[in-house]
């Protein structure tokens, strides 16, 4: 097969970790006889600096013309620390999701045997945890009306949802649950929020269409507690945009590091594959960032965008092998063990793919 992949490294550590994922992709293509063509796009702070726009039209066209997008991260302190900035790097990410119609963010959470001790949670709680978080991505407070009143002393953000937005991500979540352990947990705050009551109503209407899937409902505060006290309860968890953003970052405690969590954003046009971590500007250019989440995002790209499960499995095996062999960056290295650089980990994973 021949693939066209858009590379959007973004800001901070984005270029460094995307570079390591590309090494894994190239190794897979060489191993399995595929051809890959890359195109480059600016997004985030680097795009603002170059174009004055966090997601320029040129980048959007690059994404539309690709089979998949491999994305790094956006964010820069010069914008984070300026509350009056008119354009922000994060607006590029939101614009990309909106314009590509990426309404569902898939974030698998799994544990690695050799790393369960790295989790801040008790080993018996996390060992064997394996669930999929489904976050609605183009609705809610992040996209609803927002503004200031009373000379800036009153602020509001509108948590707006339409029925079709809820239906389409629930449908996708049920389909994934059917292919897993047939258990879907709908997370909301229906005792307080009207938008959550719509979510629960739609879910209750749809549940009979999937009699083979067990459906339960959980308030977001209870779900946050359950992620810490009993993560193995979950199979597929679906929720709205803001709740999903918070819960999936919390879920990184289960695996032991945010640097291990990959994600896919899917919808109407080209799917985007990215690590869930941010741009980590403090580490930018130091060659110390953990690239494994981005490499695992490349595995998801082969599986979800190209339907090539063996290729994805080969990348996952290489990542697991690197962890077992302690070929890891400083965030995962055991006390007294060697800490490998970002590029060294990327080289080792690519080499493992080539030789196994």
């Amino acid at each position: 097969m021949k693939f066209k992949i858009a590379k959007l490294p973004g800001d901070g550590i984005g270029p460094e970790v995307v570079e390591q994922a590309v090494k894994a992709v190239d190794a897979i293509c060489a191993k399995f006889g595929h051809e890959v063509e890359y195109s480059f796009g600016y997004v985030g702070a680097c795009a603002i600096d170059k174009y004055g726009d966090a997601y320029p039209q040129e980048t959007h066209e690059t994404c539309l013309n690709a089979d998949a997008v491999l994305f790094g991260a956006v964010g820069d302190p010069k914008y984070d620390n300026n509350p009056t900035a008119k354009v922000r790097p994060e607006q590029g990410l939101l614009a990309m999701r909106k314009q590509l119609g990426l309404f569902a963010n898939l974030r698998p959470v799994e544990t690695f045997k050799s790393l369960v001790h790295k989790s801040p949670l008790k080993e018996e709680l996390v060992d064997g945890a394996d669930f999929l978080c489904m976050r609605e991505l183009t609705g809610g407070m992040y996209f609803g009306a927002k503004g200031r009143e009373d000379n800036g002393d009153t602020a509001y953000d509108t948590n707006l949802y339409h029925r079709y937005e809820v239906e389409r991500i629930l449908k996708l979540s049920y389909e994934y649950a059917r292919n897993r352990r047939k258990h879907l947990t709908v997370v909301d705050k229906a005792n307080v929020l009207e938008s959550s009551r719509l979510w629960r109503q739609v879910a209750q209407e749809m549940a009979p269409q999937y009699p083979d899937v067990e459906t339960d409902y959980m308030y977001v505060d209870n779900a946050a507690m359950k992620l810490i006290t009993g993560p193995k309860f979950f199979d597929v968890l679906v929720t709205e945009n803001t709740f999903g953003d918070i819960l999936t970052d919390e879920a990184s405690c289960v695996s032991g590091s945010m640097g291990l969590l990959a994600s896919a954003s899917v919808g109407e046009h080209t799917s985007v594959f990215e690590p869930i971590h941010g741009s980590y500007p403090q580490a930018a250019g130091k060659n110390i960032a953990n690239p494994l989440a981005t490499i695992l995002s490349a595995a998801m790209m082969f599986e979800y965008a190209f339907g090539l499960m063996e290729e994805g499995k080969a990348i996952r095996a290489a990542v697991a092998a690197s962890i077992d062999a302690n070929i890891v960056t400083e965030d995962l290295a055991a006390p007294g063990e060697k800490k490998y650089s970002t590029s060294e980990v990327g080289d080792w994973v690519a080499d493992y793919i080539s030789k196994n």
Side-chain angles (χ1 to χ4, degrees), residues 82-349:
N82 180 8
T84 63
K86 301 297 184 185
V87 184
R88 297 181 175 278
E90 293 73 18
Q91 291 172 342
L93 180 57
L94 297 180
M96 178 169 63
R97 291 170 177 169
K98 196 72 171 180
Q99 293 182 42
L100 291 176
L102 304 176
F103 63 84
N105 185 230
L106 287 59
R107 295 188 175 185
V109 179
E110 57 184 327
T111 53
F112 295 87
K113 268 288 185 184
S114 57
L115 280 183
V116 289
H117 68 283
K118 295 289 290 186
S119 172
L121 307 179
K122 291 182 179 179
E123 186 170 328
E124 61 266 25
L125 291 179
V126 300
D127 190 16
D130 176 11
F131 57 94
L132 176 65
C133 294
M134 299 286 291
R135 170 190 170 194
E136 199 289 322
L137 211 52
T138 57
M141 279 197 293
Y142 290 6
F143 292 95
K146 55 181 79 325
R148 294 282 188 102
E149 297 175 345
D150 302 328
N151 294 318
D153 293 333
T154 301
Y156 63 90
D157 297 275
T158 307
N159 197 44
L160 180 69
Y161 268 105
H162 302 283
R163 171 179 283 270
Y164 78 90
E165 293 175 310
V166 181
E167 287 178 341
R168 65 186 181 183
I169 191 163
L170 283 172
K171 181 178 184 294
L172 195 60
S173 299
Y174 271 114
E175 290 170 356
Y176 283 123
R178 272 184 163 169
N179 292 320
R180 289 176 54 91
R181 299 191 303 276
K182 304 185 188 310
H183 176 202
L184 180 67
T185 302
V186 182
V187 174
D188 59 34
K189 192 63 176 171
N191 57 333
V192 176
L193 301 177
E194 193 62 38
S195 57
S196 282
R197 285 190 275 272
L198 173 64
W199 271 76
R200 185 165 296 208
Q201 176 189 341
V202 173
Q204 289 174 340
E205 292 171 0
M206 292 181 66
Q209 302 171 32
Y210 302 89
D212 54 326
V213 177
E214 177 189 358
T215 304
D216 52 36
Y217 306 89
M218 193 176 292
Y219 293 146
V220 63
D221 39 358
N222 187 25
M225 179 180 68
K226 194 71 171 177
L227 279 174
I228 298 301
T229 60
K232 286 184 276 191
F233 168 84
F234 296 105
D235 178 23
V236 178
L237 179 159
V238 61
T239 191
E240 59 99 63
N241 204 341
T242 306
F243 295 161
D245 193 3
I246 297 166
L247 291 177
T248 50
D249 280 6
E250 180 192 8
S252 67
C253 293
V254 175
S255 64
S257 172
M258 192 174 290
L260 291 173
L261 294 188
S263 78
S265 297
V266 304
E268 299 169 8
H269 300 293
T270 316
S271 296
V272 174
F273 300 86
E274 61 180 294
I276 79 160
H277 59 67
S279 61
Y280 192 14
Q282 301 90 335
K286 296 181 180 179
N287 203 22
I288 61 173
N290 186 348
L292 294 181
T294 316
I295 294 172
L296 288 169
S297 296
M300 292 187 73
M301 178 178 67
F302 279 103
E303 295 161 348
Y304 289 89
F306 307 144
L308 298 173
M309 307 309 290
E310 284 301 310
E311 284 80 342
K313 184 178 178 181
I315 295 177
R316 295 182 188 282
V319 169
S322 75
I323 293 172
D324 289 342
N326 291 319
I327 311 298
V328 292
T329 46
E330 62 178 25
D331 59 314
L332 296 180
E337 294 285 343
K338 179 180 177 180
K339 302 170 184 176
Y340 288 81
S341 69
T342 306
S343 56
E344 285 175 329
V345 172
D347 288 339
W348 195 95
V349 169

Side-chain angles (χ1 to χ4, degrees), residues 5-24:
I5 298 174
K7 290 193 301 181
L8 274 63
D11 307 320
I13 62 170
E16 297 169 66
V17 294
V18 167
E19 181 184 350
Q20 311 318 311
V22 167
K23 292 176 183 176

